[in-house]
Amino acid sequence: MEHDRLFIGGGWAAPHSTARIPVISPTSEQPLGSVPDADEADVNSAVSAARAAFDDPGGWAHWEPARRAEALNRFADALETRSGRIARQVTAQSGMPITISESVEGRTPAFLLRHAAGLITREPLERVQERADSTGSTLIRHDPVGVVGAIAPWNFPQSLAAFKYASALAAGCTVVLKPSPETVLDSVLLADAAMEAGLPAGVMNIVYGGAEAGSALVAHRDVDKIGFTGSTAVGRLIAENCARLLRPVTLELGGKSAGVVLDDVDVGAVVNSPAFSAMTMFNSGQTCWASTRILAPRSRYAEIVEAMASMMDGLVVGDPFDPGTQVGPMVSEKHRTRVENHIRGGAAEGARLVTGGGRPRHMDKGWFVEPTLFADVDNASAIAQEEIFGPVLCVIPYEDDADAVRLANDSSYGLSGSVWTGDTDRGIAVARRVRTGVFSVNGKRTDLGAPFGGEKNSGLGRELGTEGLASYQRLQSIFM
Ligand code: NAD
């Protein structure tokens, strides 16, 4: 797909920049298409359109919530009619197995738009409360925060963009979305859907670009809030810029979450369950919340390592368009090199390579990495502390539940985690003691209506649910 426009001010606008972003298939290594690579002037145009739409006295920000909700539901309808094409485009660009693209990327944005539309019509935007000193009353108002700069990564390009724009639009904000350069083609379909839904001009804008466009958006004086998902390194840079500008920012960053297997489980049943492989290896390991550090009780350590090796060896690696494929390629050649460097580093640090470690022999093209398992890993080693973002797991022994909690918390990250047990209450007791933003008991995955986000190097703030919506609102107290 060759595309020569940016989505600005409600239509396709010719870019100022003459540079292009080529998109390469990670499976065939062949070009898939290209889009304009927005420069600062293009970002300025998009922000101006969003600013004008936000400042319109009778515009989007001032519509009754029910009217905005209707528009969001139309946007969801328009996305749903394109869900198959969106899923295929995501798989083509990123190598995401098609079953995941269809179930997550094809569905989540519409779900989130409908959910946010429901929240904005249900949650009161104003309330009157008695003054604390009982001498009158105060009106407390929730207004939209303003123009939002939304910056998304490549690993779930549609869903993670929607984590931001669904809440922001529902709150009455206007949005400039910058997708990741690796996955820009699917956002052409997103723009088509926004147009078909009849969102007013400038309410939703999309600029393709990389770090230059992203930095211009973060620093723009007419942007009121930044919502970012991506790496910790870039998130820290954005936080520094937002701190200087005193600009609110939500950061969803990296993770290195623990999967705690308690000693009461049926190891074979747990490790071979679809929930366990999804929690550890979803999207070929390119998932921020994946449990990639498996903590195994010493009493059952050998049994767990053996079951995991057989689970990893059984995963189907191949063409991501084949519905039977469980592990596709890494998103880019550069990213595969990064994953392979981590694998080499793990072996050099003395971890025991149980299975994998190379490239699958049956794939002669594409940026594939074999599902790789390390055992006897020291939790202090780089392979246990650094995010790899590929199909690589490590198994670390622990002594008792308290030791497992200590190891789970011994990480600079704090995004997610999981516990596997025959006793849900025991699992919840472990979950309560782990300092992460989300946690799963026995493979229950993310609830799209609950706050989502991380602690420590995993980020700041929360997306989704009422708390996510609130992050796109500003508060005003009027003393009466
Ligand atoms: P990345 O940080 O390289 O890029 C993310 C986005 O930021 C891209 O759109 C990129 O173009 C843009 N960007 C790059 N430099 C910028 C700058 N200086 N200023 C503004 N924008 C800039 O991350 P990635 O490689 O696309 O994504 C993978 C990372 O995302 C992993 O670390 C993963 O853990 C993280 N992630 C986190 C979550 C979460 O919810 N916590 C979810 C998915 C992915």
Side-chain angles (χ1 to χ4, degrees):
M1 180 201 283
E2 294 301 325
H3 196 75
D4 60 3
R5 294 281 192 273
L6 299 171
F7 181 56
I8 295 179
W12 292 114
H16 171 268
S17 164
T18 53
R20 312 263 318 158
I21 301 175
V23 182
I24 314 287
S25 158
T27 312
S28 68
E29 304 178 25
Q30 295 302 309
L32 287 171
S34 69
V35 297
D37 186 358
D39 61 15
E40 193 174 345
D42 293 314
V43 171
N44 289 345
S45 304
V47 174
S48 298
R51 184 83 255 163
F54 186 79
D55 290 344
D56 177 353
W60 181 254
H62 303 279
W63 284 14
E64 283 299 314
R67 189 174 170 202
R68 277 206 301 273
E70 270 173 33
L72 296 187
N73 286 326
R74 286 198 305 274
F75 192 3
D77 293 342
L79 281 171
E80 273 165 353
T81 62
R82 290 164 175 78
S83 68
R85 275 190 290 155
I86 288 175
R88 285 191 295 279
Q89 194 62 272
V90 170
T91 289
Q93 297 166 108
S94 71
M96 178 183 288
I98 189 71
T99 50
I100 301 179
S101 303
E102 284 172 348
S103 61
V104 179
E105 293 293 278
R107 293 199 190 142
T108 303
F111 179 91
L112 289 176
L113 283 165
R114 293 193 200 289
H115 189 70
L119 286 179
I120 200 68
T121 44
R122 277 198 307 275
E123 301 285 328
L125 295 178
E126 295 192 346
R127 71 173 196 272
V128 175
Q129 69 180 40
E130 195 185 335
R131 286 176 62 97
D133 61 6
S134 307
T135 59
S137 53
T138 299
L139 171 65
I140 297 169
R141 308 180 53 248
H142 295 73
D143 268 337
V145 78
V147 174
V148 170
I151 302 178
W154 47 260
N155 62 331
F156 290 93
Q158 286 277 326
S159 304
L160 295 170
F163 270 38
K164 294 151 196 51
Y165 69 69
S167 298
L169 294 176
C173 299
T174 58
V175 173
V176 177
L177 168 67
K178 194 205 77 62
S180 181
E182 288 84 353
T183 48
V184 275
L185 301 178
D186 56 302
S187 56
V188 175
L189 294 164
L190 178 64
D192 280 342
M195 274 193 277
E196 185 179 300
L199 296 188
V203 164
M204 178 90 183
N205 307 274
I206 304 177
V207 287
Y208 317 115
E212 185 194 340
S215 331
L217 187 58
V218 169
H220 198 292
R221 69 186 163 88
D222 275 338
V223 170
D224 299 296
K225 149 125 199 191
I226 294 292
F228 171 80
T229 299
S231 62
T232 300
V234 174
R236 186 166 278 125
L237 205 65
I238 290 176
E240 283 167 9
N241 287 331
C242 288
R244 199 166 29 78
L245 297 160
L246 289 179
R247 176 160 299 166
V249 59
T250 305
L251 300 170
E252 301 287 3
L253 310 178
K256 187 76 184 185
S257 300
V260 184
V261 181
L262 295 185
D263 59 8
D264 61 3
V265 295
D266 175 339
V267 168
V270 162
V271 171
N272 291 307
S273 67
F276 191 84
S277 55
M279 186 57 68
T280 52
M281 296 284 284
F282 203 57
N283 192 23
S284 318
Q286 299 169 121
T287 303
C288 56
W289 48 250
S291 292
T292 52
R293 278 187 301 145
I294 301 303
L295 306 183
R298 200 174 289 282
S299 58
R300 306 194 64 184
Y301 188 72
E303 193 188 345
I304 290 172
V305 171
E306 192 184 331
M308 284 186 61
S310 127
M311 179 274 281
M312 304 274 281
D313 287 342
L315 290 172
V316 180
V317 181
D319 178 354
F321 276 103
D322 181 336
T325 290
Q326 291 165 293
V327 178
M330 302 293 91
V331 70
S332 64
E333 189 170 20
K334 187 170 145 213
H335 185 54
R336 177 173 68 177
T337 303
R338 196 175 153 252
V339 171
E340 289 178 333
N341 286 340
H342 278 292
I343 293 173
R344 266 192 288 279
E349 279 177 316
R352 173 162 63 93
L353 181 64
V354 181
T355 189
R359 297 177 182 179
R361 282 195 207 96
H362 66 290
M363 301 304 295
D364 58 355
K365 273 203 186 62
W367 300 312
F368 291 87
V369 174
E370 281 179 326
T372 298
L373 181 68
F374 282 103
D376 308 342
V377 173
D378 179 349
N379 194 57
S381 63
I383 202 162
Q385 288 293 325
E386 292 172 7
E387 182 182 54
I388 299 173
F389 229 54
V392 183
L393 301 180
C394 49
V395 197
I396 300 165
Y398 71 83
E399 305 303 331
D400 55 21
D401 289 12
D403 193 37
V405 168
R406 178 188 68 77
L407 287 165
N409 282 325
D410 184 8
S411 168
S412 65
Y413 292 109
L415 181 58
S416 174
S418 58
V419 62
W420 305 84
T421 174
D423 176 350
T424 304
D425 289 340
R426 191 175 162 204
I428 294 170
V430 167
R432 285 182 194 280
R433 286 184 285 157
V434 180
R435 192 180 156 191
T436 58
V438 296
F439 207 88
S440 153
V441 179
N442 287 331
K444 289 281 181 207
R445 293 230 300 275
T446 304
D447 170 4
L448 294 173
F452 180 89
E455 309 280 316
K456 303 189 270 184
N457 283 348
S458 294
L460 281 179
R462 294 291 182 269
E463 296 187 301
L464 305 184
T466 44
E467 292 80 0
L469 180 67
S471 80
Y472 290 98
Q473 293 172 322
R474 65 181 183 84
L475 288 169
Q476 184 187 36
S477 300
I478 302 181
F479 312 122
M480 303 183 294

